[in-house]
Amino acid sequence: MRLPAFSQRMLLLSIGTGSTHARVLAVSSGRKREGGAALERSCRALEQTAAMPVQLLKIVKGKLETQLPSHLQREELKHLQIGLDHTNKYFQGIVILSYPLTKLGDGTDFFKIVLQDDTCSRINSLNVLIYGKMAEDCAKLIRNGDTFVVAGFKVAESPTAKEDGRHACHLQVSEEAGSAIYICTQPSITPFSETTSASVAPKYVYTPLNCLKDGTVVNLYGIVKFFKPPYVSKGTDYCSVVTLVDQSNVKLTCTLFNGNLDSLPKIYKNGDIVRFHRVKIREYNGQMQGITSAGFASLTFDGTVGAPVVPRASSKVYTFIDEEQKTVEELRIWAASNLSVSGPEAKLSDVKPMMFFDLTCQLVGKAKVDGSSFLLKIWDGTKCPYPTWKVPVEAKELEGDKVLLHHLRNLAVDVLVYDNHVQLAKSLKIGSFLRIYSIHTKQASAKNEDISSHIEFHLHGGTCYGRGIGILPENNPDVEELKTFLECVELTDSQNMESTSSLELGDTFDNDTDLESPLQRCQQLSATVLTDHQDMSNTMLKTVLNSRAPQQYRIRAKLRSFKPQKLYQSVKLHCSKCNTLQEVPNGDAFDFILQGCEATAPNPELQSMSWYESVMWTTQDENRRKITIHFVKHYEMLQRPENTLLMIEGGTLKEIWKLTRRFKCVIPVKSKEDDLELLDLSAPFLLQGNIKYYGCKKCSTPKSIKNLSSLAEKREPSWEPTEIAQVLGIEPLQYVFVMKFTLVDGTGALNAYLFDYEKFFQIPASEILTNSFLQQKMEMTMNTLSPPGRKLDDLPWLECFIKSYNIADGTKHQVYYQIFDTTVAEDVV
DNA sequence: TTAGGCTTTG
């Protein structure tokens, strides 16, 4: 056995009362000062929990007084085969993984561990299935890193070998089969710290939800299927109701109380995963129910497959060990294919007159309305497509930054909260990020014909449907996403969010002077400005039209019309190498390619290579799709999701979009014999945020996907699409606006082409198709440059640079014009 | 003690 040379003690446990040949032998070691006490605690804990005889044995200079029975010989991993005689053999390995203790259908305890062969430098692992009393005992004792020795095992074919890539056989171990287990525990690394005293405390046992008994206090893991965010109860405490489900498919509703909001689980979404310690189980109305008992503690985890396993704790001190991380990951994978947890989330821009939804937003103002209702002014950066209700409140009651509230007056909406939510609403801090659950939108019919009907936002009293208000921390991924979005919105003047033709009217609704009124903007100023060549003088269009190409001009003209009128028709993909333009493929084409890939099974040989870690699972629907995600590592470590590049095999369009919301980069791939490869180039080679990046079919020469590892080795991989394209041998296509402007200046009219990646509109062409905010901005810009239904005299002037050039079209030459070095004025965008 | 979700509406 592998034992450290310094002071060690050994603990011998004979288990299975009456059984002489089935034994668990645990060897514990520790530093001199601490070893004795820790061991004593362990022994006492074991005596209490298992009522087993405990015997302390002394080890001198790393040698065990008690050796393994002399007839036993070590068996190598490669010699484990079905049908061979392993009677006098033992197998030894390091525990690299252990699963939660569960019960089989017949009530037998079952415990599964994974051993790694410690004689071989190559990773070689084997599943060991332990049944009955031995399972229970091992679950209490075993930690990752322990040396595990087993004799008297049965060798059987491993049904999961194909999936987990471990040894083709597994070992079956039980008292009944006459097995013997010897465990050598790993010495503690930090003997005096809090974690160590926790690690020698009795190991927590987690009860599956189908094994709960009335009157017990248990520890649980579960996926949140439903929850009510903490609300003020009628007693002295906050209350939160949480319904969990686990792999047994049994549900448990827990009612949790605490006077301190932070001591309740920090659940933000259905699908989050929780670990509860010390929940009391009671029977209520014929069903099991969980309730807080003394010392209740919880950890909550994001339920997204592949997201970092970072607990949100309800107490300052908690234990969390590697194998628990595995439990969380397994629950995530189970949930991904067995549960549908898509919530009724929506943005303000998605609202309809009659709906209930969850809104993630920032609080910008609040006010007392009356005894039973309270006003929250919130925004999420998007614009509600309907006029919204403004709740009348006394000015002195309104809390919040007045200038900001004025700025956001067209984006912020009033939410009226009622009854039990008032107290919590009052305590909210301006600027905090909230998720308001089950907000109701209601269309108010116009009583007066002069006032158009508007939409009202209500958070009704009561807590059914999980109605309530949750306070999200700044580091919540949804909050981080929202903050980034809000910053973009704030960069632009929200004046322009108005859909009025502001050039002529100004703002009739307020008299504030701290913001520039559109009237103050001189209409004679150009709606576009030049970014260079300021010293050039203007040329009349008549002169331009009568001159030879190629030349460059500065002109002052009005935009009489433009084409195409439909935004999506103006966005194209351009290859700067072969200079061709093509249409942006629609989502169906991508979906079709993905469906075509479903037939290609992921190659197990390509799972978890040195530079990426893979997770594979099978969907539970009739298609039994195999999905594999390969997370690219950085210095052998997984990164935070927002910095992570992943490759996916077998995902649907929807699944891929979902991943792009959490992870920096997503690359759809498929397996071939010896490597992963990109899909057909009609599909995007990369998805980042909302943007699909395509490669030019003509100019690309795809290279091995392994080249990505060179980018991952950089100090801080930026995952720039151009760099990714380069290492993958892809010639990237760029999104570009292509439009035809008909310009007039009273002396003549000419058509000038706009070919713009970003500069002219100050809107990236790559983002506009998937960003409704940018679409609104674009629409407003075009409405300003060329207001529909307006006479020529009323149109704004545009200052532009244009260049003329010749195109030989068959036999005739034609002169074309293109706009350059021009941008829309800052007060227009 | 409180709430015990399976349903919402000023």
Side-chain angles (χ1 to χ4, degrees), chain A residues 373-437:
Chain A
S373 66
F374 193 83
L375 170 66
L376 297 179
K377 283 181 178 283
I378 54 87
W379 76 313
D380 73 354
T382 70
K383 186 164 164 56
C384 173
Y386 300 87
T388 63
W389 186 36
K390 295 292 169 202
V391 178
V393 289
E394 285 187 53
K396 67 175 168 54
E397 295 287 353
L398 182 64
E399 221 183 292
D401 180 335
K402 301 291 184 297
V403 174
L404 183 67
L405 283 167
H406 177 89
H407 253 292
L408 303 180
R409 67 194 180 284
N410 295 306
L411 291 177
V413 303
D414 286 5
V415 180
L416 201 54
V417 313
Y418 295 91
D419 305 337
N420 56 319
H421 307 299
V422 169
Q423 195 181 331
L424 188 77
K426 271 185 188 167
S427 72
L428 297 172
K429 288 194 180 66
I430 301 290
S432 57
F433 291 92
L434 310 175
R435 184 166 287 140
I436 309 182
Y437 300 92

